[in-house]
Short mmCIF file of all heavy atoms in Angstrom, two decimals:
data_model
loop_
_atom_site.label_atom_id
_atom_site.label_comp_id
_atom_site.label_asym_id
_atom_site.label_seq_id
_atom_site.Cartn_x
_atom_site.Cartn_y
_atom_site.Cartn_z
N SER A 1 122.66 89.52 119.64
CA SER A 1 123.42 90.73 119.95
C SER A 1 122.44 91.88 120.17
O SER A 1 121.32 91.86 119.66
CB SER A 1 124.37 91.05 118.81
OG SER A 1 123.64 91.39 117.66
N PRO A 2 122.86 92.91 120.92
CA PRO A 2 121.97 94.06 121.15
C PRO A 2 121.55 94.75 119.86
O PRO A 2 120.45 95.27 119.76
CB PRO A 2 122.82 95.00 122.02
CG PRO A 2 123.84 94.14 122.65
CD PRO A 2 124.09 93.01 121.70
N GLU A 3 122.43 94.71 118.84
CA GLU A 3 122.08 95.34 117.56
C GLU A 3 120.92 94.59 116.89
O GLU A 3 120.01 95.20 116.33
CB GLU A 3 123.29 95.35 116.61
CG GLU A 3 124.47 96.17 117.09
CD GLU A 3 125.39 95.36 118.01
OE1 GLU A 3 125.48 94.14 117.87
OE2 GLU A 3 126.00 95.98 118.89
N LYS A 4 120.97 93.26 116.95
CA LYS A 4 119.89 92.47 116.35
C LYS A 4 118.58 92.69 117.10
O LYS A 4 117.52 92.77 116.50
CB LYS A 4 120.24 90.98 116.36
CG LYS A 4 120.95 90.51 115.14
CD LYS A 4 121.00 89.01 115.13
CE LYS A 4 121.64 88.53 113.85
NZ LYS A 4 121.73 87.07 113.80
N LEU A 5 118.68 92.74 118.43
CA LEU A 5 117.47 92.95 119.22
C LEU A 5 116.85 94.32 118.94
O LEU A 5 115.64 94.47 118.88
CB LEU A 5 117.78 92.83 120.72
CG LEU A 5 118.00 91.41 121.22
CD1 LEU A 5 118.46 91.43 122.67
CD2 LEU A 5 116.74 90.59 121.08
N ALA A 6 117.70 95.34 118.77
CA ALA A 6 117.19 96.68 118.48
C ALA A 6 116.59 96.75 117.08
O ALA A 6 115.61 97.46 116.85
CB ALA A 6 118.31 97.70 118.61
N ALA A 7 117.17 96.00 116.14
CA ALA A 7 116.68 96.02 114.77
C ALA A 7 115.35 95.28 114.62
O ALA A 7 114.55 95.58 113.75
CB ALA A 7 117.71 95.41 113.83
N ARG A 8 115.14 94.32 115.49
CA ARG A 8 113.91 93.55 115.41
C ARG A 8 112.76 94.37 116.00
O ARG A 8 112.78 94.74 117.16
CB ARG A 8 114.08 92.25 116.19
CG ARG A 8 112.87 91.36 116.13
CD ARG A 8 113.09 90.16 116.97
NE ARG A 8 113.61 89.10 116.13
CZ ARG A 8 113.80 87.87 116.54
NH1 ARG A 8 113.56 87.56 117.78
NH2 ARG A 8 114.24 86.96 115.71
N LYS A 9 111.79 94.67 115.19
CA LYS A 9 110.66 95.46 115.64
C LYS A 9 109.48 94.54 115.88
O LYS A 9 109.29 93.55 115.20
CB LYS A 9 110.26 96.49 114.58
CG LYS A 9 111.27 97.56 114.36
CD LYS A 9 110.79 98.53 113.32
CE LYS A 9 111.82 99.61 113.06
NZ LYS A 9 111.40 100.53 112.03
N LYS A 10 108.68 94.90 116.87
CA LYS A 10 107.48 94.13 117.13
C LYS A 10 106.44 94.53 116.10
O LYS A 10 106.07 95.69 115.99
CB LYS A 10 106.98 94.40 118.54
CG LYS A 10 105.82 93.54 118.92
CD LYS A 10 105.43 93.74 120.36
CE LYS A 10 104.26 92.86 120.70
NZ LYS A 10 103.86 93.01 122.07
N ARG A 11 105.99 93.56 115.35
CA ARG A 11 105.02 93.84 114.30
C ARG A 11 103.64 93.45 114.79
O ARG A 11 103.44 92.36 115.34
CB ARG A 11 105.38 93.06 113.05
CG ARG A 11 106.70 93.51 112.47
CD ARG A 11 106.96 92.83 111.15
NE ARG A 11 108.20 93.35 110.61
CZ ARG A 11 109.24 92.61 110.29
NH1 ARG A 11 109.18 91.31 110.42
NH2 ARG A 11 110.33 93.15 109.82
N THR A 12 102.69 94.33 114.58
CA THR A 12 101.32 94.02 114.96
C THR A 12 100.54 93.65 113.72
O THR A 12 100.83 94.11 112.63
CB THR A 12 100.65 95.23 115.64
OG1 THR A 12 100.70 96.33 114.73
CG2 THR A 12 101.37 95.61 116.92
N LEU A 13 99.53 92.83 113.91
CA LEU A 13 98.69 92.44 112.80
C LEU A 13 97.72 93.57 112.48
O LEU A 13 97.23 94.26 113.37
CB LEU A 13 97.90 91.18 113.14
CG LEU A 13 98.73 89.92 113.34
CD1 LEU A 13 97.84 88.78 113.82
CD2 LEU A 13 99.41 89.54 112.05
N GLN A 14 97.42 93.71 111.21
CA GLN A 14 96.48 94.72 110.80
C GLN A 14 95.08 94.24 111.15
O GLN A 14 94.70 93.11 110.84
CB GLN A 14 96.58 94.94 109.29
CG GLN A 14 95.61 95.97 108.77
CD GLN A 14 95.70 96.10 107.26
OE1 GLN A 14 96.44 95.39 106.61
NE2 GLN A 14 94.94 97.01 106.71
N LYS A 15 94.30 95.09 111.81
CA LYS A 15 92.94 94.73 112.17
C LYS A 15 92.01 95.18 111.05
O LYS A 15 92.07 96.32 110.62
CB LYS A 15 92.54 95.38 113.48
CG LYS A 15 93.34 94.86 114.65
CD LYS A 15 92.89 95.49 115.94
CE LYS A 15 93.73 94.96 117.08
NZ LYS A 15 93.36 95.55 118.35
N LEU A 16 91.19 94.29 110.61
CA LEU A 16 90.25 94.60 109.55
C LEU A 16 88.89 94.96 110.15
O LEU A 16 88.40 94.28 111.04
CB LEU A 16 90.10 93.40 108.61
CG LEU A 16 91.37 92.96 107.90
CD1 LEU A 16 91.09 91.70 107.11
CD2 LEU A 16 91.85 94.04 106.98
N HIS A 17 88.29 96.04 109.67
CA HIS A 17 86.97 96.45 110.10
C HIS A 17 86.01 96.20 108.95
O HIS A 17 86.12 96.80 107.89
CB HIS A 17 86.94 97.94 110.49
CG HIS A 17 87.88 98.24 111.61
ND1 HIS A 17 87.63 97.88 112.91
CD2 HIS A 17 89.09 98.86 111.62
CE1 HIS A 17 88.62 98.27 113.68
NE2 HIS A 17 89.53 98.87 112.91
N ARG A 18 85.08 95.30 109.17
CA ARG A 18 84.13 94.98 108.12
C ARG A 18 82.89 95.85 108.24
O ARG A 18 82.47 96.20 109.33
CB ARG A 18 83.73 93.51 108.21
CG ARG A 18 84.88 92.57 107.98
CD ARG A 18 84.37 91.17 108.12
NE ARG A 18 85.47 90.24 107.98
CZ ARG A 18 85.60 89.40 106.97
NH1 ARG A 18 84.71 89.36 106.03
NH2 ARG A 18 86.62 88.58 106.92
N ASP A 19 82.31 96.15 107.09
CA ASP A 19 81.04 96.87 107.08
C ASP A 19 79.92 95.90 107.41
O ASP A 19 80.03 94.70 107.19
CB ASP A 19 80.78 97.48 105.70
CG ASP A 19 81.80 98.55 105.36
OD1 ASP A 19 82.32 99.18 106.29
OD2 ASP A 19 82.06 98.72 104.17
N ASP A 20 78.81 96.43 107.90
CA ASP A 20 77.66 95.58 108.19
C ASP A 20 77.16 94.88 106.93
O ASP A 20 76.69 93.75 106.97
CB ASP A 20 76.53 96.39 108.83
CG ASP A 20 76.90 96.86 110.22
OD1 ASP A 20 77.79 96.24 110.83
OD2 ASP A 20 76.31 97.83 110.68
N ALA A 21 77.22 95.55 105.79
CA ALA A 21 76.72 94.98 104.55
C ALA A 21 77.55 93.76 104.14
O ALA A 21 77.03 92.84 103.53
CB ALA A 21 76.76 96.03 103.44
N GLU A 22 78.82 93.76 104.47
CA GLU A 22 79.67 92.64 104.08
C GLU A 22 79.40 91.39 104.91
O GLU A 22 79.59 90.28 104.44
CB GLU A 22 81.14 93.01 104.25
CG GLU A 22 81.64 94.02 103.26
CD GLU A 22 83.10 94.29 103.51
OE1 GLU A 22 83.93 93.57 102.94
OE2 GLU A 22 83.38 95.22 104.28
N THR A 23 78.94 91.56 106.15
CA THR A 23 78.79 90.42 107.03
C THR A 23 77.34 89.95 107.17
O THR A 23 77.07 89.05 107.93
CB THR A 23 79.33 90.75 108.43
OG1 THR A 23 78.64 91.89 108.93
CG2 THR A 23 80.82 91.01 108.37
N ALA A 24 76.41 90.56 106.47
CA ALA A 24 75.01 90.14 106.56
C ALA A 24 74.85 88.75 105.96
O ALA A 24 75.50 88.40 104.98
CB ALA A 24 74.11 91.13 105.83
N ALA A 25 73.97 87.95 106.56
CA ALA A 25 73.75 86.59 106.07
C ALA A 25 73.05 86.65 104.72
O ALA A 25 72.10 87.40 104.51
CB ALA A 25 72.89 85.83 107.07
N MET A 26 73.52 85.85 103.82
CA MET A 26 72.92 85.78 102.49
C MET A 26 72.15 84.48 102.38
O MET A 26 72.65 83.42 102.75
CB MET A 26 74.02 85.82 101.42
CG MET A 26 74.89 87.07 101.48
SD MET A 26 73.99 88.59 101.20
CE MET A 26 73.69 88.46 99.47
N ALA A 27 70.92 84.54 101.87
CA ALA A 27 70.10 83.35 101.72
C ALA A 27 70.32 82.74 100.35
O ALA A 27 70.70 83.40 99.40
CB ALA A 27 68.62 83.72 101.89
N ARG A 28 70.03 81.44 100.27
CA ARG A 28 70.12 80.75 99.00
C ARG A 28 68.92 81.14 98.15
O ARG A 28 67.79 81.20 98.62
CB ARG A 28 70.13 79.24 99.25
CG ARG A 28 70.37 78.45 97.99
CD ARG A 28 70.41 77.00 98.27
NE ARG A 28 69.04 76.54 98.45
CZ ARG A 28 68.67 75.45 99.06
NH1 ARG A 28 69.58 74.69 99.60
NH2 ARG A 28 67.43 75.11 99.17
N PHE A 29 69.16 81.41 96.90
CA PHE A 29 68.09 81.82 96.00
C PHE A 29 67.51 80.58 95.33
O PHE A 29 68.23 79.77 94.76
CB PHE A 29 68.64 82.79 94.94
CG PHE A 29 67.60 83.23 93.95
CD1 PHE A 29 66.64 84.16 94.30
CD2 PHE A 29 67.57 82.69 92.68
CE1 PHE A 29 65.69 84.56 93.41
CE2 PHE A 29 66.61 83.09 91.77
CZ PHE A 29 65.66 84.03 92.13
N ASP A 30 66.20 80.42 95.43
CA ASP A 30 65.51 79.30 94.80
C ASP A 30 64.45 79.88 93.88
O ASP A 30 63.47 80.48 94.33
CB ASP A 30 64.88 78.41 95.86
CG ASP A 30 64.32 77.12 95.30
OD1 ASP A 30 64.46 76.90 94.08
OD2 ASP A 30 63.75 76.33 96.08
N ALA A 31 64.61 79.71 92.57
CA ALA A 31 63.70 80.30 91.58
C ALA A 31 62.29 79.73 91.71
O ALA A 31 61.31 80.45 91.56
CB ALA A 31 64.23 80.07 90.18
N ALA A 32 62.16 78.44 91.99
CA ALA A 32 60.83 77.83 92.11
C ALA A 32 60.08 78.41 93.29
O ALA A 32 58.88 78.69 93.21
CB ALA A 32 60.96 76.32 92.25
N GLU A 33 60.76 78.62 94.39
CA GLU A 33 60.11 79.16 95.59
C GLU A 33 59.71 80.61 95.36
O GLU A 33 58.64 81.04 95.80
CB GLU A 33 61.10 79.08 96.77
CG GLU A 33 60.47 79.42 98.09
CD GLU A 33 61.46 79.25 99.22
OE1 GLU A 33 62.21 78.27 99.24
OE2 GLU A 33 61.47 80.13 100.10
N THR A 34 60.47 81.36 94.64
CA THR A 34 60.16 82.75 94.35
C THR A 34 58.92 82.84 93.47
O THR A 34 58.05 83.68 93.69
CB THR A 34 61.35 83.43 93.65
OG1 THR A 34 62.50 83.26 94.45
CG2 THR A 34 61.10 84.90 93.45
N ALA A 35 58.80 81.96 92.50
CA ALA A 35 57.63 81.97 91.60
C ALA A 35 56.36 81.63 92.35
O ALA A 35 55.30 82.20 92.09
CB ALA A 35 57.85 80.99 90.46
N VAL A 36 56.43 80.71 93.32
CA VAL A 36 55.25 80.32 94.09
C VAL A 36 54.82 81.45 95.00
O VAL A 36 53.63 81.76 95.13
CB VAL A 36 55.53 79.04 94.91
CG1 VAL A 36 54.41 78.74 95.86
CG2 VAL A 36 55.76 77.88 93.97
N ARG A 37 55.72 82.11 95.65
CA ARG A 37 55.38 83.19 96.57
C ARG A 37 54.93 84.44 95.83
O ARG A 37 54.24 85.27 96.39
CB ARG A 37 56.59 83.55 97.43
CG ARG A 37 56.88 82.57 98.51
CD ARG A 37 57.93 83.16 99.40
NE ARG A 37 58.40 82.17 100.35
CZ ARG A 37 59.40 82.35 101.14
NH1 ARG A 37 60.06 83.49 101.11
NH2 ARG A 37 59.76 81.43 101.99
N GLY A 38 55.43 84.60 94.64
CA GLY A 38 55.05 85.78 93.88
C GLY A 38 55.87 87.00 94.23
O GLY A 38 55.46 88.12 93.98
N GLY A 39 56.97 86.83 94.79
CA GLY A 39 57.80 87.98 95.15
C GLY A 39 59.24 87.56 95.29
O GLY A 39 59.60 86.40 95.10
N GLY A 40 60.07 88.49 95.62
CA GLY A 40 61.49 88.22 95.77
C GLY A 40 61.80 87.67 97.14
O GLY A 40 61.06 87.87 98.10
N VAL A 41 62.86 86.97 97.23
CA VAL A 41 63.30 86.43 98.51
C VAL A 41 64.23 87.45 99.14
O VAL A 41 65.16 87.93 98.50
CB VAL A 41 64.04 85.09 98.30
CG1 VAL A 41 64.55 84.56 99.63
CG2 VAL A 41 63.15 84.09 97.63
N THR A 42 64.01 87.78 100.37
CA THR A 42 64.87 88.72 101.09
C THR A 42 65.53 87.99 102.24
O THR A 42 65.15 86.88 102.58
CB THR A 42 64.06 89.92 101.63
OG1 THR A 42 63.13 89.41 102.59
CG2 THR A 42 63.33 90.64 100.52
N ALA A 43 66.50 88.63 102.84
CA ALA A 43 67.20 88.02 103.96
C ALA A 43 66.26 87.80 105.14
O ALA A 43 66.47 86.91 105.95
CB ALA A 43 68.37 88.90 104.38
N GLU A 44 65.17 88.60 105.26
CA GLU A 44 64.25 88.46 106.37
C GLU A 44 63.25 87.33 106.14
O GLU A 44 62.79 86.70 107.08
CB GLU A 44 63.48 89.77 106.61
CG GLU A 44 64.33 90.92 107.13
CD GLU A 44 65.10 91.64 106.03
OE1 GLU A 44 64.66 91.61 104.87
OE2 GLU A 44 66.16 92.19 106.34
N THR A 45 62.85 87.06 104.89
CA THR A 45 61.79 86.09 104.63
C THR A 45 62.31 84.70 104.31
O THR A 45 61.60 83.73 104.50
CB THR A 45 60.91 86.56 103.45
OG1 THR A 45 61.73 86.68 102.29
CG2 THR A 45 60.23 87.86 103.77
N ALA A 46 63.51 84.56 103.82
CA ALA A 46 64.00 83.25 103.41
C ALA A 46 64.74 82.57 104.54
O ALA A 46 65.43 83.22 105.32
CB ALA A 46 64.94 83.40 102.21
N PRO A 47 64.58 81.26 104.64
CA PRO A 47 65.34 80.53 105.67
C PRO A 47 66.82 80.48 105.25
O PRO A 47 67.13 80.42 104.07
CB PRO A 47 64.73 79.13 105.66
CG PRO A 47 64.14 78.99 104.29
CD PRO A 47 63.71 80.37 103.88
N ILE A 48 67.68 80.48 106.23
CA ILE A 48 69.11 80.39 105.95
C ILE A 48 69.48 78.92 105.92
O ILE A 48 69.33 78.21 106.90
CB ILE A 48 69.94 81.14 107.01
CG1 ILE A 48 69.56 82.62 107.00
CG2 ILE A 48 71.43 80.94 106.77
CD1 ILE A 48 70.22 83.43 108.06
#
């Protein structure tokens, strides 16, 4: 019926905006590898 069609609203999905910090690749932490290198593992130095 026209009443049902008018009552039915088109719903849009909410778009999520992620921050860059949330989507950065995280590397696996290996304590043995950190001890050998003598420093911390960062996203730039560790293999993914």
Side-chain angles (χ1 to χ4, degrees):
S1 66
E3 297 86 29
K4 270 191 176 179
L5 286 173
R8 182 183 266 186
K9 292 181 181 178
K10 185 175 180 179
R11 296 186 177 123
T12 58
L13 295 174
Q14 179 183 3
K15 294 182 181 179
L16 299 175
H17 300 286
R18 296 179 183 247
D19 294 331
D20 291 338
E22 290 181 88
T23 57
M26 301 298 287
R28 186 179 77 200
F29 179 76
D30 188 3
E33 188 177 318
T34 305
V36 172
R37 285 189 189 172
V41 178
T42 64
E44 291 82 25
T45 60
I48 299 175

